Amino acid sequence: MAFHYPNGTPYNNHEAPKSKKQVKNQKSIQFGKRGMDFEEEINKSNAFYLSRNIAVVHKKPTPVQIVKVDYPSRSAAVIKEAYFRQASTTDYNGVYNGYYLDFEAKETKNKTSFPLKNFHQHQIDHIQQCLTQNGICFVLLWFSSLNRCFFFSGEELITHWSEQENTGKKSLPLSIIERKGIEIQIGIAPRVPYLDAVWQHIQSNKGVAFNDN
């Protein structure tokens, strides 16, 4: 099924458009020896947090407008084409320990850097708006080829996004992510314990207004 942004641009979730060969070669994200989808594991982690009254975090629903439907039989309908009614912001939001959380989950097969083209200006604008209200904003970066996951703050993302025009750098080097971010060790329950990194980020910024960039 084809999805499109409001301006008609085809939608690809999480990462920049891939060739058909790349899509075929990467049907799943590898967590160790298990084929797992990164977003699915975040959803399961959120369910774990919710069941234990640790946090209430959900994936944001995105309204779509259906424009083409096939009816192979009277009792079945297949959506063939749809458009997002509005540009998406970020993947998840919720509340944790009195803090508003808003974050995006992204993945890449690159081993040395994370392409900034995986993000869109409207997402950066949204993150900035949430930071202005002292929300906790971040991205979860999954390096599928390395089996490594990182928490990277919205403040840092905006800084490097804004520097693109001056530096010409179109990606975040892994070395910077290692230094400026927080690595998340993949576990069992929850599989992606990102709230540990969120709390570390909160503690390291105590007494500092989150919208002071």
Side-chain angles (χ1 to χ4, degrees):
M1 179 175 64
F3 278 89
H4 303 268
Y5 287 111
N7 64 3
T9 304
Y11 166 75
N12 274 308
N13 191 22
H14 299 311
E15 191 162 11
K18 300 185 180 80
S19 66
K20 291 183 179 179
K21 183 178 180 180
Q22 286 175 310
V23 172
K24 182 178 180 181
N25 290 339
Q26 188 187 14
K27 291 184 178 180
S28 64
I29 309 304
Q30 293 298 319
F31 278 96
K33 295 182 179 180
R34 298 174 58 197
M36 289 291 178
D37 180 83
F38 186 39
E39 185 176 285
E40 178 186 348
E41 294 303 332
I42 294 174
N43 293 340
K44 290 179 180 178
S45 299
N46 287 338
F48 173 88
Y49 289 136
L50 181 62
S51 68
R52 285 159 178 76
N53 295 318
I54 297 172
V56 179
V57 181
H58 295 289
K59 182 172 174 59
K60 299 177 185 178
T62 305
V64 297
Q65 179 177 353
I66 300 171
V67 296
K68 184 178 181 181
V69 181
D70 282 354
Y71 295 91
S73 66
R74 289 184 178 180
S75 60
V78 179
I79 299 174
K80 304 298 290 185
E81 187 174 358
Y83 286 79
F84 290 118
R85 291 181 180 175
Q86 59 189 37
S88 60
T89 53
T90 47
D91 289 332
Y92 298 90
N93 69 344
V95 181
Y96 165 59
N97 203 26
Y99 294 92
Y100 172 75
L101 305 184
D102 200 295
F103 64 96
E104 180 78 5
K106 296 289 188 181
E107 63 193 54
T108 186
K109 291 182 68 177
N110 289 6
K111 295 182 179 181
T112 59
S113 64
F114 207 100
L116 287 171
K117 65 181 179 181
N118 286 6
F119 300 95
H120 304 284
Q121 185 62 55
H122 60 266
Q123 293 175 323
I124 300 297
D125 293 341
H126 174 75
I127 290 173
Q128 181 62 72
Q129 290 167 350
C130 290
L131 288 173
T132 300
Q133 299 300 323
N134 286 336
I136 309 297
C137 300
F138 56 95
V139 290
L140 297 179
L141 305 177
W142 173 244
F143 286 81
S144 60
S145 298
L146 302 175
N147 288 321
R148 299 182 71 183
C149 183
F150 293 89
F151 166 103
F152 200 72
S153 73
E155 293 91 339
E156 287 291 343
L157 176 63
I158 289 173
T159 295
H160 291 282
W161 176 273
S162 301
E163 290 177 349
Q164 285 185 91
E165 291 186 5
N166 296 328
T167 64
K169 294 181 179 180
K170 301 299 182 182
S171 63
L172 279 167
L174 178 58
S175 59
I176 288 180
I177 296 172
E178 290 174 326
R179 187 170 72 254
K180 299 288 188 177
I182 302 172
E183 185 158 10
I184 299 169
Q185 300 300 326
I186 300 304
I188 298 176
R191 192 78 161 121
V192 186
Y194 68 88
L195 286 185
D196 293 345
V198 170
W199 187 244
Q200 183 177 334
H201 172 70
I202 292 171
Q203 292 299 302
S204 66
N205 285 278
K206 268 191 172 181
V208 179
F210 286 105
N211 59 356
D212 286 346
N213 293 318

